[in-house]
Amino acid sequence: MMPHCAAHAARRAQLLGRMQAGAVAVLGTAPEVPRNGDSDYPYRHDSHFYYLTGFAEPESCVVLVAAQGEHAGRSILFCREKNVEREIWEGFRFGPEAARDAFGFDEAYPIDELDARMADILADAPALYYALGSGVALDARVAGWLKAVRARGRTGVTAPQTTHHLLAMLDEMRLLKDEHEIALMARAGAISAQAHARAMRATRPGMFEYEIEAELLHEFRRNGAQFPAYPSIVASGPQACVLHYNANNRRIEDGDLVLIDAGCELDGYASDITRTYPANGRFSDAQRTLYELVLRAQGAAIAAIVPGRPYSAIHDAAVRVLTEGMLDLGLLDAGKVGSLDEAIASRAYAQFYMHGTGHWLGMDVHDVGAYRDVASPDKPSRPLLPGMTLTVEPGIYVRPGEGVPERFWNIGIRIEDDVVVTDAGGRILSVGVPKSVTDIEALMRKH
Ligand code: GLY
Ligand code: MN
Ligand code: MN
């Protein structure tokens, strides 16, 4: 596998190769965000910036200058200077010189020199690649640089005539994961799977949901993951029907199902797993019936992951299995919703399955990249390609209601795994936590 900085340098080279000759790209990282008083939220770099640099310090900016004529392409980092005083309080900073060498840049300068240097870098560049709307502060600075270059017009200098949307290019690059990224995502998936198994083993009726959340966090951190990739959901009993529940403060009762949707972020990459299991270690008949239906839907959806097939085939496969099951079990009344195809066409299933079957996964849990086929807008969705990573997460959520069989009331189930598309089909990255009824019950009997 390529060393870390080589993977990031290769991405910069790829972007430079796609840019117009002589053009300049500018991308800043995320700001530090105050939480309360003088405390900040834990710092998290911008995903696009990190993708191109591997550099995680705040107050940084990357500038790429595409090759033109005899001038080779250049990649330049602006970052904080070394500062002995601040480093005593806040810890190590690379400083431009060490960052340039460690991260493979051609040049690096103090971030305080950004304004002064950008007017020179942009002089005579034909185009600027920038994400307008990156933030009021950086937008204003970019406008200032352009103004400064135009002001030199009488000396014969020209300012960029065109701007391109930088993120649209980066989104498409990020959608196809390289070997370095897939290895990291598999490690993140394995840590999260281990955390789910630990949570299952720890669960007893009478515990609070937050005690189970603590087990997840313990396992994430113990294995070096820096953060949860998104707020962990530990939803017992009826709370499992609340899709983004994260209060995690209910007391778990005997007979409840527990739905956990949680995944760690490891070195900037997310994992995203959901498991649903009985708090007392044994599924009731009604719980098992619905669980096995969702599991079949997930199996059908994963089987639809074949390079060349449209992304939408995954959701379509899950919906077909779930809707058929809803009709068989009397959750949907064929007298009212008609045949299977009619129930699918009218989206009758949405009463119990109201979300999509997944999303791209990467540095962001809901990762970047278009779902539609931009090249053929008449097609519903783009074809799957090796290197795309996504979640497969069908579910069923039964709120009490008229005509809804009472034995299913308040059952909420979702099963979610992370999958990379390969030439041979989908390869699951979130391995190591049981999923079948038999395996879940066996794991829980062991404690
Ligand atoms: N955990 C967020 C999601 O499943 O989409
Ligand atoms: Mn998800
Ligand atoms: Mn999830």
Side-chain angles (χ1 to χ4, degrees):
M1 205 169 78
M2 278 190 285
H4 203 225
C5 76
H8 297 280
R11 294 172 200 152
R12 292 195 294 272
Q14 195 184 345
L15 182 61
L16 278 164
R18 291 183 188 186
M19 286 164 56
Q20 196 179 323
V24 175
V26 178
L27 182 66
T29 193
E32 293 166 292
V33 184
R35 182 174 183 270
N36 64 303
D38 61 358
S39 298
D40 286 348
Y41 281 101
Y43 182 69
R44 169 59 158 76
H45 52 258
D46 174 80
S47 296
H48 285 103
F49 176 85
Y50 188 79
Y51 178 77
L52 287 179
T53 62
F55 192 68
E57 289 185 21
E59 297 184 74
S60 329
C61 190
V62 59
V63 177
L64 303 179
V65 185
Q68 187 172 37
E70 75 275 19
H71 300 291
R74 292 187 291 157
S75 72
I76 308 168
L77 179 71
F78 288 87
C79 66
R80 299 181 304 190
E81 286 195 85
K82 296 280 307 165
N83 180 326
V84 175
E85 172 70 12
R86 294 297 347 141
E87 288 183 54
I88 289 172
W89 290 86
E90 293 158 11
F92 175 78
R93 315 174 160 191
F94 274 92
E97 213 170 298
R100 180 196 60 210
D101 296 345
F103 295 87
F105 283 87
D106 300 304
E107 300 164 36
Y109 303 106
I111 187 75
D112 292 342
E113 295 179 13
L114 184 64
D115 290 329
R117 290 186 180 271
M118 281 313 293
D120 283 339
I121 292 173
L122 286 169
D124 291 331
L128 171 66
Y129 291 73
Y130 177 68
L132 195 62
S134 294
V136 181
L138 189 56
D139 285 359
R141 288 172 80 173
V142 172
W145 304 335
L146 292 172
K147 201 171 160 200
V149 183
R150 285 186 202 120
R152 295 197 211 159
R154 260 180 287 163
T155 64
V157 167
T158 59
Q161 301 295 303
T162 321
T163 54
H164 296 282
H165 187 36
L166 177 60
L167 298 193
M169 294 170 81
L170 284 174
D171 287 357
E172 285 299 293
M173 284 172 64
R174 279 177 53 189
L175 179 58
L176 296 177
K177 272 66 180 176
D178 60 33
E179 178 193 11
H180 171 77
E181 297 180 288
I182 292 169
L184 261 178
M185 291 181 72
R187 175 79 189 124
I191 294 171
S192 297
Q194 213 172 302
H196 276 259
R198 179 189 180 110
M200 267 184 206
R201 274 196 300 269
T203 302
R204 311 269 189 290
M207 290 174 80
F208 284 89
E209 292 163 342
Y210 52 74
E211 295 177 76
I212 309 303
E213 182 184 2
E215 299 292 331
L216 297 161
L217 298 177
H218 181 106
E219 200 64 22
F220 291 169
R221 203 65 190 109
R222 194 175 85 75
N223 285 288
Q226 291 83 357
F227 305 104
Y230 55 91
S232 307
I233 297 172
V234 181
S236 61
Q239 302 296 6
C241 295
V242 181
L243 297 179
H244 288 166
Y245 174 79
N246 58 27
N248 299 356
N249 58 5
R250 181 179 174 276
R251 195 185 169 98
I252 301 168
E253 289 175 20
D254 199 3
D256 281 349
L257 284 179
V258 181
L259 182 157
I260 298 182
D261 184 343
C264 68
E265 179 179 300
L266 178 71
D267 298 346
Y269 284 81
S271 53
D272 182 7
I273 302 182
T274 307
R275 286 292 183 270
T276 310
Y277 59 96
N280 63 16
R282 292 276 299 169
F283 284 88
S284 71
D285 287 344
Q287 290 167 349
R288 183 183 313 106
T289 302
L290 291 188
Y291 187 88
E292 288 189 326
L293 173 59
V294 176
L295 190 58
R296 277 202 307 283
Q298 204 215 24
I302 292 171
I305 300 177
V306 176
R309 288 192 71 181
Y311 173 79
S312 56
I314 304 170
H315 182 62
D316 292 348
V319 161
R320 181 156 287 271
V321 173
L322 289 171
T323 309
E324 191 168 27
M326 289 173 198
L327 285 163
D328 289 347
L329 297 172
L331 281 166
L332 292 177
D333 178 355
K336 290 192 183 132
V337 302
S339 67
L340 173 57
D341 286 331
E342 285 165 338
I344 291 172
S346 66
R347 301 188 71 250
Y349 59 83
Q351 183 183 352
F352 307 109
Y353 182 44
M354 57 297 278
H355 59 74
T357 301
H359 47 84
W360 305 132
L361 179 74
M363 304 186 118
D364 300 323
V365 66
H366 297 159
D367 208 34
V368 294
Y371 291 88
R372 296 195 66 85
D373 191 338
V374 187
S376 339
D378 49 316
K379 293 206 185 120
S381 75
R382 71 188 305 157
L384 294 169
L385 292 172
M388 292 176 169
T389 48
L390 48 95
T391 67
V392 183
E393 51 179 305
I396 203 160
Y397 312 90
V398 187
R399 288 171 177 270
E402 222 185 284
V404 178
E406 205 169 329
R407 67 190 190 110
F408 296 130
W409 284 12
N410 292 316
I411 295 180
I413 294 166
R414 178 163 65 256
I415 307 172
E416 175 173 29
D417 281 296
D418 305 340
V419 181
V420 56
V421 183
T422 75
D423 287 322
R427 173 166 81 88
I428 297 182
L429 297 172
S430 45
V431 281
V433 54
K435 194 155 65 165
S436 71
V437 165
T438 317
D439 290 350
I440 289 174
E441 291 187 344
L443 179 90
M444 297 195 68
R445 257 200 310 277
K446 275 201 208 127
H447 61 232

